[in-house]
């Protein structure tokens, strides 16, 4: 953002996480879940962030906040990025002395107002856009193709125009862009409304399936790696006979293979998996695996099948939390469950303490030494902006992952407030000083805070609860060209994801 030319990769990154049309809105209102789903407004859900947004009118976008302060910080930093880039456009096209705009701007405006463009007209418009954003025609053409959608093929031209238009009106007419917080959001912020509802839904499901008092192993991961590690080989025996497991996982990760994924999921549901789709606003789906119903004869884990049923573990897999939401959800889940239903005589109001045996966190993180796909095994989490630190005994170690062609780094992790606008000087200090920070992520300190308070202060779970943390690198924020804006991991992420998943499952299932 410090350069004069518009940062296109960064722009693509933030617009994937903001609602379509946000660049046209002068007013952004952050709200709580206030019942918009019952109105005529259709929710706009960004491709890379699950949040409901509503276009109220031509000038205003409302964005629902259900995941706490991290969600707010995420939106504010992305909007800051958007506004900085729009000011760059304004500086190139607005002539302050006369209040007029350049010919490039006039030509872009004409093209946008025309609507449907021929190839020749589009390329002429892109020549002018290239001047406006300080990029080559080739870069502008690549960006045009990247931003285009079936519904909005000219999205890139519209985006540059509206970013510039609002910035010019702010400069010329003092029409300020405004971000507001609704009174209800101010009132609810910090209360665990969605986390409590989510945790109670899960506990009711566990109780309904007689799993509430079995040993529970919490795994924070995605919604495919544990399921695939347990069932994919068996479910797709015909399709992938004699193939390597990694090859199978790579095929399952491809967007076009939905039918194969559905087959694995259907097989898992018949063999002890219970899916709980979220309806509480947390956007965290859950899978529960009852190991008493899994046939381990054809699964590559050394599971002790002679254990009495009440001692057989239950795997509780939750989708990725977002930042501070990790504290809200786990803190609520680790509290004792109060049965409010009128079940058997004397059970109404009964308090159940959960038998949580372990908490395992697998995540993506930024790495400060190394590259995409490499691994980080933390020994402590530090919270950015404070000296708050959370040391712990990690059941996973560097040796567990060596010999698989991936570099492994062991040390401290810093839990940052958001993904955008990282401070290189701060990260270099943490990496080079005695803090020994190997990477940065958004949830670790929040998870550990909840685990420590439940196990050591509230005593709602066992003091000796095992914890496992392992991360694979999605980017290196200290290297230009290796930041999150440089694109996703693609197939590079498959190997570390499944390696971490298998190590977690081995420690849980192979235990004697």
């Amino acid at each position: 953002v410090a350069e004069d030319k518009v940062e296109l990769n960064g722009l693509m990154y933030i617009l994937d996480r903001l609602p379509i049309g946000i660049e046209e809105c002068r007013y952004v209102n952050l709200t709580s879940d206030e019942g918009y789903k019952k109105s005529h407004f259709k929710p706009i859900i960004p491709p890379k962030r699950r949040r409901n947004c509503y276009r109220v009118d031509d000038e205003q976008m409302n964005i629902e906040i259900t995941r706490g302060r991290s969600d707010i910080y995420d939106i504010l930093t992305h909007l800051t990025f958007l506004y900085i880039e729009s000011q760059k456009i304004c500086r190139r096209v607005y002539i302050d002395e006369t209040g007029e705009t350049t010919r490039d701007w006039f030509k872009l405006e004409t093209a946008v107002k025309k609507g449907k463009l021929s190839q020749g007209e589009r390329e002429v418009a892109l020549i002018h856009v290239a001047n406006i954003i300080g990029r080559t025609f080739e870069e502008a053409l690549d960006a045009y193709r990247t931003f285009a959608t079936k519904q909005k093929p000219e999205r890139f031209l519209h985006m540059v125009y509206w970013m510039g238009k609002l910035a010019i009106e702010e400069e010329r007419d003092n029409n300020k862009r405004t971000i507001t917080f609704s009174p209800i959001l101010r009132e609810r912020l910090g209360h665990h409304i969605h986390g409590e509802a989510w945790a109670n839904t899960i506990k009711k499901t566990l109780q309904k399936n007689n799993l509430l008092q079995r040993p529970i192993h919490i795994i924070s991961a995605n919604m495919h790696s544990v399921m695939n590690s347990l069932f994919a080989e068996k479910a797709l025996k015909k399709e992938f006979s004699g193939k390597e497991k990694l090859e199978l996982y790579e095929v399952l990760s491809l967007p076009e293979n939905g039918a194969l994924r559905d087959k694995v999921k259907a097989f898992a549901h018949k063999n002890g998996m219970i899916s709980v789709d979220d309806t509480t606003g947390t956007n965290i789906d859950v899978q529960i695996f009852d190991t008493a119903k899994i046939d381990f004869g054809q699964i590559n884990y050394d599971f002790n099948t002679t254990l009495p049923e009440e001692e057989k573990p239950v795997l509780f897999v939750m989708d990725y939390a977002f930042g501070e939401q990790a504290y809200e959800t786990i803190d609520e889940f680790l509290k004792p469950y109060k049965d409010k239903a009128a079940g058997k005589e004397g059970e109404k109001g009964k308090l159940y303490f959960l038998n949580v045996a372990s908490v395992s966190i697998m995540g993506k993180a930024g790495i400060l030494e190394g590259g995409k796909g490499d691994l980080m095994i933390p020994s402590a989490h530090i919270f950015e902006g404070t000296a708050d630190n959370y040391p712990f005994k990690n059941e996973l170690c560097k040796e567990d992952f060596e010999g698989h062609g991936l570099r492994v780094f062991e040390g401290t992790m810093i839990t940052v407030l958001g993904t955008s606008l990282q401070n290189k000087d701060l990260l270099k200090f943490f990496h080079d000083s005695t803090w020994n920070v190997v990477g940065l992520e958004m949830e670790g300190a929040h998870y550990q805070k909840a685990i420590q308070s439940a196990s050591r202060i509230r005593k709602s779970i066992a003091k000796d609860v095992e914890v496992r943390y392992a991360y694979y690198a999605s980017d290196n924020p200290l290297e230009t060209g290796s930041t999150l804006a440089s694109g996703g991991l693609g197939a590079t992420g498959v190997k570390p994801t499944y390696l971490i998943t298998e190590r977690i499952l081995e420690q849980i299932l192979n235990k004697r």
Side-chain angles (χ1 to χ4, degrees), residues 205-206 208-217 226 230-231 267-275 287-296 299 303 307-317 508-509:
T205 306
L206 289 167
K208 183 182 169 185
N209 290 277
N210 297 314
L211 302 172
L212 196 60
Q213 292 179 294
R214 293 256 297 274
I216 295 170
H217 296 265
V226 172
L230 291 172
F231 300 117
F267 183 86
H269 280 140
K270 288 176 185 174
N271 289 273
M273 184 177 94
I274 302 161
S275 291
Q287 293 166 339
I288 298 165
F289 298 85
D290 181 358
T291 58
K293 293 181 179 176
I294 297 173
D295 177 10
F296 281 93
I299 292 174
F303 182 63
L307 281 171
E309 185 161 324
E310 64 270 16
E311 291 180 26
K312 287 183 178 175
V314 173
L315 307 180
F316 168 83
V317 182
I508 295 169
L509 300 173

Side-chain angles (χ1 to χ4, degrees), residues 46-103:
K48 298 286 177 72
R49 285 279 190 272
R50 290 173 294 177
R51 52 170 70 110
N52 290 332
C53 310
Y54 300 91
R55 184 75 179 264
V56 176
D57 54 38
D58 289 345
E59 290 190 307
Q60 182 173 330
M61 184 75 75
N62 281 13
I63 303 177
E64 264 184 15
I65 304 294
T66 60
R67 298 190 288 182
R69 280 172 284 227
S70 297
D71 225 9
I72 294 174
Y73 188 85
D74 188 64
I75 291 161
L76 293 181
T77 50
H78 292 341
L79 287 174
T80 301
F81 195 109
L82 183 71
Y83 296 162
I84 289 170
E85 298 305 308
S86 68
Q87 287 296 335
K88 293 178 186 178
I89 295 169
C90 175
R91 285 197 294 271
R92 283 184 173 272
V93 301
Y94 178 63
I95 305 161
D96 201 22
E97 294 80 11
T98 61
E100 295 175 350
T101 50
T102 64
R103 182 172 179 272

Side-chain angles (χ1 to χ4, degrees), residues 316-336:
F316 168 83
V317 182
M318 58 182 281
D319 207 349
Y320 294 119
F322 187 70
E324 196 178 35
Q325 187 190 36
Y327 175 73
E328 177 178 334
T329 49
I330 291 293
D331 184 58
E332 289 297 330
F333 184 75
L334 296 181
K335 288 177 182 176

